Each structure stands twice: as C-alpha cells, then as structure tokens.
Amino acid sequence: MLAIAPVLDHLDANLNQSLERLYELLRIRSISTDPAFAADCRKAAEWLVADLKSIGFEASVRDTTGHPMVVAHHEGPSPDAPHVLFYGHYDVQPVDPLNLWEDDPFDPKLKELSPGRKVITGRGSSDDKGQLMLFVEACRAYKAVHGKLPCKVSILFEGEEESGSPSLKPFLDANSEELKADFAMVCDTGMWDRTTPAICVGLRGLVGEEIVVHAANRDLHSGEFGGAAANPIRILAKVLADMHDDTGRVTIPGFYDGVEETPTQVLKSWESLGETTESFLGEVGLSIPSGEKGRSVLELTWARPTAEFNGITGGYTGEGFKTVIAAKASAKVSFRLVHKQDPDKIRAAFRDFVRARIPADCSVEFHEHGGSPAIQLSYDSPFLIRAQQALTDEWDKPAVTIAMGGSIPIVGDFQNFLGMESLLVGFALVDDRIHSPNEKYDLSSFRGGQRSWARILDALTR
Amino acid sequence: MLAIAPVLDHLDANLNQSLERLYELLRIRSISTDPAFAADCRKAAEWLVADLKSIGFEASVRDTTGHPMVVAHHEGPSPDAPHVLFYGHYDVQPVDPLNLWEDDPFDPKLKELSPGRKVITGRGSSDDKGQLMLFVEACRAYKAVHGKLPCKVSILFEGEEESGSPSLKPFLDANSEELKADFAMVCDTGMWDRTTPAICVGLRGLVGEEIVVHAANRDLHSGEFGGAAANPIRILAKVLADMHDDTGRVTIPGFYDGVEETPTQVLKSWESLGETTESFLGEVGLSIPSGEKGRSVLELTWARPTAEFNGITGGYTGEGFKTVIAAKASAKVSFRLVHKQDPDKIRAAFRDFVRARIPADCSVEFHEHGGSPAIQLSYDSPFLIRAQQALTDEWDKPAVTIAMGGSIPIVGDFQNFLGMESLLVGFALVDDRIHSPNEKYDLSSFRGGQRSWARILDALTR
C-alpha cells in the first residue's frame, strides 16, 4: 500500500507543469481523418512514448496500416498486484470552420469562461488528450513520490478513434496476449455535472437493418394503376407503424427477451440527478417522451431498448409532384439493445416480422448494418464499487452510476478480443463542445481528474 | 338530314389522298417543348388553317405567348342545328432517342406490322395528328358530297399539349363566347382493342398534397435521444398506415361522400371486356389487387377513389447507415376522385386526419399540389347514346363505355371555362407507342376513325 495523500499533494503542487505538458501535446495537430496531418499524428505518438519512458514505462510506437498505436507497460509493486489497461486516443477532430474559433485551436491556454471558472482551450483539450493525460499525470506523481505504481499498468493510446478505428481490431487481435489485463479503464466519458463525478455502467447495443420493399417491376402511373397495383410505400408504412403499440412498446415477438428491469435503487439515484422530461427534451424543442409510457427519459435512453427509423425513401421526392406508384421503397431501421438482448435473435425476429407483412406478390430484401450487444457492468462488481468510493472521496459528493444510450465501440472490442470488462470514467462536461469550434476542458476537471485517477489506482489495491 | 352512305363511300374512295394529307402534316417537326422547333409549330398551325380554309372553314392562326392556336368555324345546315367544338393538338413529343426508331420519325409511310396489319409510321401518327385529321377528313367528305356539314362545327387545335398547355386556360377564358358550343368532342383517347370502339365516360379527379412532419428542432443522435425523442418517420408511417383499413378502404372520415356505385349493367359490360386481374397486373409483375376487396381491377382503376403515396423521404437515405433521428420527414400523397367527390372537402378531411395523429410537441405543414374533381358523363346523356350507336354501326360490334383512371385536363377546362361536357372518342391502340420511338397508327383506325366521325356527326343531327 502506497500512501495516497502525498501523491495528491504532489499533483496539486505540480499542476502548472502538468498543464504545460498537456499544452505541448495539444499543439501537435494530430487530425487523423486528414492525410495531410499523418506526420503530426506520428509526432503525437512519439511525444507520448517519450513522456511515458520518462516516468519509467516501457513504451513504444507501434506501426499499423494507418496511424500508429502507443503501447506502454509498467510493472506493479509485486507480481500478484492487479493489472489494468488504460485506453485513450491522441488523435483529434478537424477544426473547420476555423473562423468560428475564438482562440487558436492549436495554441492552448487558460481562459476565464465565467467568473471563477477557468478552462483549457483548444482542439483535443477534452476529447481526448486532456482526459488521457490525467492518468499519465497520476502515474507520474506516484513515481515521483513512491518510486513505483500501486498496480501493474498497461497503456494503449490509439490514433484513429476520430476516423473509424480501422486498425484497432486487427491490432487487438494480434496483440491480445500483451494487452490482456484484469480490466480496462476507458477515459472518454464525462461527469454528470461540474461537481458530480460519474461512472458509466451501461452502454446500449445496436442492430442496424435496411429493408427494401419491391412491388411492381417498374414505376407506374397512379392514374392508370392506382387502386389496383400494390404501393411499396404503403406496405412499408404499415410495417413501420406496426412496430410500436400505443404504449410505445416494440411489438416484435421476443424483442424484450433478456431485458431486465432496472434496480429500484438505481432508478432512485437517477431520479436524484434532477434530469426531467422538460430539461432533457426541452433543449431540442420537444416535450413528450416517445418511448414506453411511465418511464423517465433517463431510463428510456439509458436502460430501455428501442426501435428507431433512421431513414426512409421511396417514389418521387423532388420539388413539385409526380403521380407515380414507385417500384420500391426502403427504410433504415436500428434497434438499441440493453442487458442480454441478443443482436442475432433481434435481427431474425425483425425480419420475420417484416416478411409477415409483405403481400404475396411483393418481396423484401434485407441489408445488414452491424450488430453489437449491450455492455452492462454489474452493479456489485468490486472494482466498480471501489472506483465509485474513490470518486466520492475526491469530489466530496456521491459518484453516480450512469448509463449511455449510445455505444463506445472500444468497450465491446475489449470484451470481444481481450475478454475484459471496462471501467468508464471521465471528466468531460456536456458543454465541452467536442468535435465543434471552441472545444475546452474545465480546469476543475483537469485538477480533480488527475487526483481521481490517483485515488482510483489506490482504491484498486486495497 | 344529309345522307351518310355516300359520305362513307367518298371517304373510302379517297383514302389515299387523306393519307397523303396526313403525311404532309406529319412531316412538319412540331415539337412544342423544344424552342428550336417553334417555327415548325407555327408551320403546322398554318398548314391546318390552309387545309381547313380549303374546305370552307373560316379558319385562323391565333397567337398566344407560346405556340399559336388554330381556331376554325363552319356554319350548320340551319341556324338551329347543334353546335359542336372539336379539340385536338398539332404538337408532338420529341423523338429522342433517335437511334431506337426503325423508320424516320418525320418521313411517314405505310408499313406492314404483321401479316394483314398495316400501320402509319411516324411521330404524331397516333398522338395526335392522325386522330385530329380523321375529323377533318370526315368534314371534307361531307362538303364534297353534300356541300355542307350536318351541324355547326367549331375546331380548336392546340400547339402546346405536350408541353403543359400554358396558354390554354387564358385562351379559353379570353375566347369563351367564340368557343362555347353545345358540347365538345375530344379525340385523344383510344379503342378498347383493334376491333372494339370505345367512348370514355369517366375520368378520375385528383387531389395532391405534400405533408412535412416536424419533430425536434435538429437532427438527433439515436443513441443519445432514442426512446425519448419523437421520430417524425415513425409519426409519418403511422399517419400513412392508418389511411387504409384491412379491406383496402380509405379510412378518412367523409372520403366516400359523393361516390356512387357503378350501375350493374356497366359493371357487366366491363366484365365482358375480358380484362382480368392476371392480364392487368401480370404485365407489371403483380397479381393481387391492392384496393377495396371484391372489386375488379377495371372498377378499381376506373370508378373507385384511391389514396396513393407517391413519395416519401426522411432521415439518412444515402449509402451505409447513420444512427440519426431526423428533425422532419415528408410524404407526397394523392387522391384519385370519382363522381361527386369534392376536392376541397377531401383535402380538408385529409388534413384533419393527419393533424389528429401528430403528437402535441410536433407539428405538420401542408403543401397543396393541385385539385380537380372527377369528370363523369351521364350514361343516359342523348349525345352519348347516339355516338355509341354510330360507333356500333361502323365497327359492327357494340361500342363500350369505358373510363380512365387518370385525367385529361382539357376536359375539365372545357367544363370550367366553357360550361361544356365532352365526348371522348378516339381510335388509338394500346400498342401505338405514343411518346416513344416507333410511334404508329393502325390503318384500320385511320379508315374506321374517319368513317366513325362522319357517322357520329350524322347521328347527332337525327
């Protein structure tokens, strides 16, 4: 057991130096999606390797067919110490439209956003360079104070997260022995608000499908054939309309297999967050939850499955009017999954549901657009409970367990390729404007985040 | 009463001369939609005026802001003789793709299509120069044999029918006194088959509407908002799906107001035509009528109203997938009307129906795309009965009364601007390939059509 108090003191005493290091990294224009910045991406990877080596990691730049990975390892205090893999990404989003930035996106600085609220400016300050450096600084402080880390630590920094991670799966597959740890820590999530830390314990899964309904063998004139010929838009509308009942439930047989009710105490803790229908939907101009009746917006988006229609097209869609009966019509449909819903079974049940509604003289084709199960951390997992306590200690406020309606692919990849669960902790705020002009990261997130990671590493070794 | 037999004999004896006159007209490249052929359009109008003058019509080229009209008048045998207005159009469709034509589209000739079946080749041979010259030849024969026409005849030939008739309504409006007759004769319809003459007594009306459903004030991420935020595609699908019941009837309240059951004897005569579900739908790859159950395809398309969805679009419709919840979705909807259905009432009832299905936090906008009532000639109208008998006499086979699922705008215009009903008689065949390469007109249609018009003029004076 390494004493934590001096580590926290060290972090506070050296805050300016950690900021300077972050600025150095932020100045590197590591935009992964634009080939013009390939050398900058490599430069960011090399900068990280040098920095990690400087605090005793065995670190290297690892080539891929795209931008390189950074992999680093540091031994634990004893051979039986826990082993964690920390993941982050050093690449950033493009900065256009540049004229909307109040400050140079690649010349970071501290700025007072409102009285008493200081933020770090610049592209990547929140997503994800600021977040990943918190962990590096926590490790640096341990080394400075104790000469060792409280557990065995591996690090994986990716350079293609903002451009679809094409190299990630092959890399995990090829290096699974080296990267496998007891569990992963993933840092690109956020706090609930500026003073409330959060751990994300659930990510919804996804099934994507495209259906194309075919009717006549050519477009028809609606005067000549209207009333006699099947209209694929009408068939498609019926299929989609049938997919929800009046209470907002999805009607596909077996759809709710594997869906569990959220524990009462979890629902209560979500209630205590103060998010209301008005606050959640008001911002986008809506006011009535569209999902299953009687459930809060947080439960609906975090813990309930959905069927959504993401796109539809058929017939004449230009200006004016054309009295045509189309030969075909198509829709893109996706399902957000929770708990133990099986993507393959959902896809099969959906296809059966659709086929049952296609007239005998028409046909339907299906195109698969991906599928992944939900991620759900058990609420009684020991490392979740310990991390939650560490965050509560740091922020002097209970850390909340939240969920996310979307997915973070790396979490599924760690599960699938390395058999590892992930702890999702981050200190971004909802107004960080990631992917947009004027991205920022609160100084309070930076200071508290460093300290939080130090505490979490400490808590895991108790 | 002028004897009809010598008129028919004269037509037969002069068939080659009438063909030569048609060829002269067909050689004029009067393509109305292409400004390069404006002089040709005027030339066709002038040719017609000269020809009509040569048989005693008071005829003139009448300028419009587009291509000119041809207007001609000929007195009747007595001041109280009936007065008919004959309508046709001298403009033609473009001929591209030219390489698909087997013969020069502007060098007409007789050609044997199959043993014993001769056809006139060329653009406009059927639509509509061939059809309108039948009537002119019938008048010419009357003048040659009797020195007079059996009734007062006015003629209106338009030069913009194939390009949207922009000048027609203003012209009718400005010249209503001059053009008003007891009834109109419109010649651009067809026979039921090569040996069965037909009169069209019903044209469906049309109401066009576009609806745009608005939900959130911007596109949303389906991970973040799915389950909570309203999805406009789901709302739209429900609206459209609700619009038909399981028997294929339209569910909009009041939709069937003014719809009459087709008389049993008319249904029987349609049955005798031999059109089946298989023959009608088989050609376009379908087999199951989609409209109201228990009705034939001819009744469904000729005498029943419809609600059709002509286009739909919303969300992401490109390649691949995007997990978006769209801010809006839209559909183009049209209704084919019959009998006394009121376009304004149908439009209002439709809008009420849609509004009732829009959640309180969403909205809908409507765009009007035209509306016109159905045209329905009474089955016991005297000039219908007489014309039917004349056709039956000529073709030695009962003339059938048919309807059309689409509309012919001129018929509504005559009704609205001149308060005149129209008799729709034509001799085109379904395989005439109008608007396509290798347009033709059967010689049997040409010969029998001339004789038919002579007989119809005769019948009207009895």
Side-chain angles (χ1 to χ4, degrees):
Chain A
M1 277 259 330
L2 310 176
I4 179 69
V7 176
L8 300 177
D9 290 344
H10 183 88
L11 282 168
D12 285 345
N14 290 274
L15 188 63
N16 284 340
Q17 290 89 321
S18 352
L19 279 173
E20 282 307 324
R21 279 185 289 269
L22 174 58
Y23 294 168
E24 275 188 37
L25 181 58
L26 290 175
R27 285 187 199 108
I28 304 174
R29 298 161 188 247
S30 50
I31 300 169
S32 60
T33 199
D34 185 342
F37 295 91
D40 300 85
C41 288
R42 178 166 295 272
K43 193 174 157 193
E46 285 167 350
W47 186 94
L48 284 163
V49 164
D51 191 52
L52 288 165
K53 279 184 173 166
S54 77
I55 54 176
F57 275 81
E58 189 188 305
S60 55
V61 171
R62 306 278 281 268
D63 286 338
T64 70
T65 53
H67 303 301
M69 303 278 179
V70 170
V71 176
H73 301 289
H74 195 290
E75 63 187 4
S78 65
D80 60 343
H83 179 196
V84 301
L85 172 68
F86 183 88
Y87 165 87
H89 63 91
Y90 65 78
D91 62 321
V92 297
Q93 283 273 323
V95 294
D96 48 280
L98 195 56
N99 61 321
L100 295 184
W101 285 80
E102 290 169 16
D103 305 286
D104 185 335
F106 293 113
D107 188 13
K109 61 179 183 190
L110 269 189
K111 183 176 171 176
E112 194 154 37
L113 199 65
S114 57
R117 186 176 178 194
K118 285 188 179 166
V119 301
I120 304 160
T121 65
R123 175 56 88 226
S125 56
S126 174
D127 181 19
D128 185 44
K129 289 172 174 173
Q131 302 243 57
L132 71 83
M133 283 304 289
L134 302 180
F135 185 82
V136 176
E137 295 302 340
C139 292
R140 191 187 325 270
Y142 267 104
K143 288 298 295 279
V145 172
H146 296 295
K148 56 178 90 166
L149 296 185
C151 56
K152 182 176 175 195
V153 173
S154 294
I155 285 177
L156 173 65
F157 291 147
E158 184 192 1
E160 296 178 323
E161 200 272 349
E162 303 293 5
S163 52
S165 298
S167 308
L168 187 66
K169 287 180 189 181
F171 191 80
L172 293 180
D173 204 25
N175 299 280
S176 57
E177 276 310 305
E178 179 184 352
L179 295 170
K180 172 99 177 78
D182 296 327
F183 60 91
M185 292 168 158
V186 172
C187 68
D188 52 3
T189 57
M191 298 176 70
W192 174 252
D193 60 30
R194 283 180 66 202
T195 59
T196 314
I199 301 180
C200 179
V201 298
L203 297 169
R204 291 196 289 191
L206 187 69
V207 166
E209 282 276 288
E210 185 169 0
I211 59 177
V212 187
V213 176
H214 295 270
N217 55 23
R218 59 176 171 88
D219 285 359
L220 304 176
H221 187 284
S222 79
E224 198 181 350
F225 284 94
N231 184 323
I233 300 175
R234 179 172 149 200
I235 296 164
L236 185 60
K238 175 83 176 132
V239 166
L240 301 186
D242 277 358
M243 218 174 288
H244 292 88
D245 68 16
D246 290 342
T247 71
R249 269 178 79 88
V250 176
T251 57
I252 296 171
F255 183 75
Y256 288 94
D257 290 356
V259 178
E260 291 156 15
E261 284 299 324
T262 309
T264 313
Q265 77 274 21
V266 174
L267 286 178
K268 275 197 181 145
S269 78
W270 290 352
E271 254 171 57
S272 73
L273 293 173
E275 185 80 275
T276 63
T277 299
E278 293 67 37
S279 63
F280 188 85
L281 288 178
E283 184 247 327
V284 298
L286 296 172
S287 62
I288 306 170
S290 71
E292 298 162 88
K293 288 201 199 315
R295 299 180 189 268
S296 72
V297 287
L298 288 189
E299 188 185 5
L300 286 171
T301 53
W302 287 356
R304 299 301 299 176
T306 67
E308 288 292 351
F309 312 136
N310 307 107
I312 191 166
T313 186
Y316 181 69
T317 59
E319 285 295 304
F321 213 87
K322 199 170 159 185
T323 50
V324 67
I325 298 178
K328 63 175 183 172
S330 64
K332 296 185 203 270
V333 178
S334 65
F335 302 93
R336 295 279 169 183
L337 310 187
V338 300
H339 311 137
K340 300 191 174 64
Q341 279 180 302
D342 180 333
D344 296 334
K345 282 190 183 162
I346 297 282
R347 191 188 306 281
F350 166 71
R351 292 183 175 190
D352 286 346
F353 181 93
V354 175
R355 283 192 199 99
R357 283 157 181 82
I358 305 297
D361 60 345
C362 298
S363 65
V364 61
E365 56 178 292
F366 296 94
H367 299 278
E368 178 175 336
H369 287 283
S372 58
I375 301 286
Q376 184 71 46
L377 211 62
S378 8
Y379 287 100
D380 51 7
S381 141
F383 66 81
L384 169 63
I385 291 169
R386 287 179 189 179
Q388 200 169 2
Q389 187 56 52
L391 287 168
T392 302
D393 291 345
E394 171 59 29
W395 296 86
D396 208 16
K397 202 171 174 181
V400 291
T401 49
I402 62 172
M404 283 176 63
S407 60
I408 299 182
I410 185 71
V411 178
D413 293 339
F414 281 161
Q415 190 112 57
N416 298 334
F417 288 92
L418 307 180
M420 265 191 311
E421 288 202 306
S422 297
L423 180 70
L424 283 89
V425 174
F427 301 92
L429 295 177
V430 77
D431 64 357
D432 276 357
R433 291 190 288 272
I434 64 168
H435 295 206
S436 298
N438 302 314
E439 181 175 351
K440 60 86 182 160
Y441 199 48
D442 275 49
L443 184 60
S444 60
S445 286
F446 189 75
R447 177 177 176 272
Q450 292 184 340
R451 292 170 54 96
S452 294
W453 282 116
R455 284 185 191 270
I456 289 171
L457 286 176
D458 173 64
L460 295 174
T461 60
R462 283 179 198 276
Chain B
M1 276 259 332
L2 311 175
I4 179 69
V7 176
L8 300 177
D9 289 345
H10 183 89
L11 282 168
D12 285 346
N14 290 274
L15 187 64
N16 286 340
Q17 290 90 321
S18 358
L19 278 174
E20 282 308 324
R21 280 186 287 269
L22 173 60
Y23 294 169
E24 276 188 36
L25 181 58
L26 289 175
R27 286 188 198 108
I28 305 174
R29 299 161 188 245
S30 49
I31 300 168
S32 61
T33 200
D34 185 342
F37 295 91
D40 300 85
C41 288
R42 178 166 294 272
K43 193 174 159 195
E46 286 167 350
W47 186 94
L48 283 163
V49 164
D51 192 53
L52 288 166
K53 278 184 173 167
S54 77
I55 55 177
F57 275 82
E58 189 188 306
S60 55
V61 171
R62 306 279 280 268
D63 286 339
T64 70
T65 53
H67 302 303
M69 302 279 177
V70 170
V71 176
H73 301 289
H74 195 291
E75 63 185 5
S78 65
D80 60 341
H83 179 197
V84 301
L85 172 68
F86 183 88
Y87 165 88
H89 63 92
Y90 65 77
D91 62 320
V92 298
Q93 283 273 323
V95 294
D96 48 280
L98 195 56
N99 62 321
L100 294 185
W101 286 79
E102 290 168 15
D103 305 288
D104 185 335
F106 294 113
D107 188 13
K109 61 179 184 189
L110 271 188
K111 182 176 173 177
E112 194 155 35
L113 200 65
S114 55
R117 185 176 177 193
K118 283 188 179 163
V119 300
I120 304 159
T121 64
R123 174 59 85 225
S125 57
S126 174
D127 181 20
D128 184 47
K129 290 172 174 172
Q131 302 243 58
L132 71 83
M133 284 304 288
L134 301 180
F135 185 82
V136 176
E137 295 302 339
C139 293
R140 191 188 324 271
Y142 267 105
K143 289 299 295 281
V145 173
H146 296 293
K148 56 177 90 165
L149 296 184
C151 56
K152 181 177 175 192
V153 173
S154 294
I155 285 177
L156 173 66
F157 291 148
E158 184 192 0
E160 297 178 324
E161 201 269 352
E162 303 293 6
S163 52
S165 298
S167 308
L168 187 65
K169 287 179 189 180
F171 191 80
L172 292 180
D173 204 25
N175 300 280
S176 57
E177 277 310 304
E178 180 184 352
L179 296 170
K180 173 97 177 76
D182 297 326
F183 59 91
M185 292 168 157
V186 173
C187 69
D188 50 4
T189 57
M191 298 177 71
W192 174 252
D193 61 30
R194 283 181 67 203
T195 59
T196 315
I199 301 180
C200 179
V201 298
L203 296 168
R204 290 196 288 191
L206 186 69
V207 165
E209 281 277 288
E210 185 169 359
I211 58 176
V212 187
V213 175
H214 294 270
N217 55 21
R218 59 177 171 86
D219 285 359
L220 305 176
H221 187 284
S222 80
E224 197 181 351
F225 283 94
N231 185 323
I233 300 175
R234 179 171 149 201
I235 296 164
L236 185 61
K238 176 82 175 133
V239 166
L240 301 186
D242 277 358
M243 219 174 290
H244 292 88
D245 68 15
D246 290 343
T247 71
R249 270 178 78 89
V250 176
T251 57
I252 297 171
F255 183 75
Y256 289 93
D257 290 357
V259 178
E260 290 156 16
E261 284 299 324
T262 308
T264 312
Q265 77 273 20
V266 174
L267 287 178
K268 275 198 181 147
S269 78
W270 290 351
E271 252 172 58
S272 73
L273 294 173
E275 184 79 273
T276 63
T277 298
E278 292 67 37
S279 63
F280 189 84
L281 288 178
E283 183 246 327
V284 298
L286 295 171
S287 62
I288 306 170
S290 70
E292 299 162 88
K293 288 203 199 313
R295 299 180 189 268
S296 72
V297 288
L298 288 189
E299 188 185 5
L300 286 171
T301 53
W302 287 356
R304 299 302 298 177
T306 66
E308 286 292 351
F309 312 135
N310 307 106
I312 191 165
T313 186
Y316 181 70
T317 59
E319 285 296 303
F321 213 87
K322 200 170 159 184
T323 50
V324 67
I325 299 178
K328 63 175 182 171
S330 64
K332 297 184 203 272
V333 178
S334 65
F335 302 93
R336 295 279 169 182
L337 310 187
V338 299
H339 311 136
K340 300 190 174 66
Q341 279 180 302
D342 179 334
D344 296 334
K345 282 190 184 162
I346 297 283
R347 191 187 306 282
F350 166 70
R351 291 183 175 190
D352 287 345
F353 181 94
V354 175
R355 283 191 198 100
R357 283 158 180 81
I358 305 297
D361 60 345
C362 298
S363 65
V364 60
E365 57 179 292
F366 296 94
H367 299 279
E368 179 175 334
H369 287 284
S372 58
I375 301 286
Q376 182 73 45
L377 211 60
S378 9
Y379 287 99
D380 50 8
S381 139
F383 66 80
L384 169 63
I385 291 169
R386 288 178 189 179
Q388 201 170 4
Q389 187 57 51
L391 288 168
T392 302
D393 291 346
E394 171 59 29
W395 296 87
D396 208 16
K397 200 170 177 182
V400 291
T401 49
I402 60 170
M404 282 175 62
S407 59
I408 299 182
I410 185 72
V411 178
D413 294 339
F414 283 160
Q415 190 113 56
N416 298 333
F417 290 91
L418 307 181
M420 266 191 311
E421 287 202 306
S422 298
L423 181 71
L424 283 88
V425 174
F427 302 91
L429 296 177
V430 78
D431 64 357
D432 276 357
R433 291 190 288 273
I434 65 169
H435 297 205
S436 298
N438 302 313
E439 180 176 350
K440 60 84 181 163
Y441 199 50
D442 275 50
L443 184 60
S444 60
S445 287
F446 189 76
R447 176 177 177 274
Q450 292 185 341
R451 293 169 53 97
S452 295
W453 282 118
R455 284 186 191 268
I456 289 171
L457 287 175
D458 174 63
L460 295 173
T461 61
R462 282 176 200 277

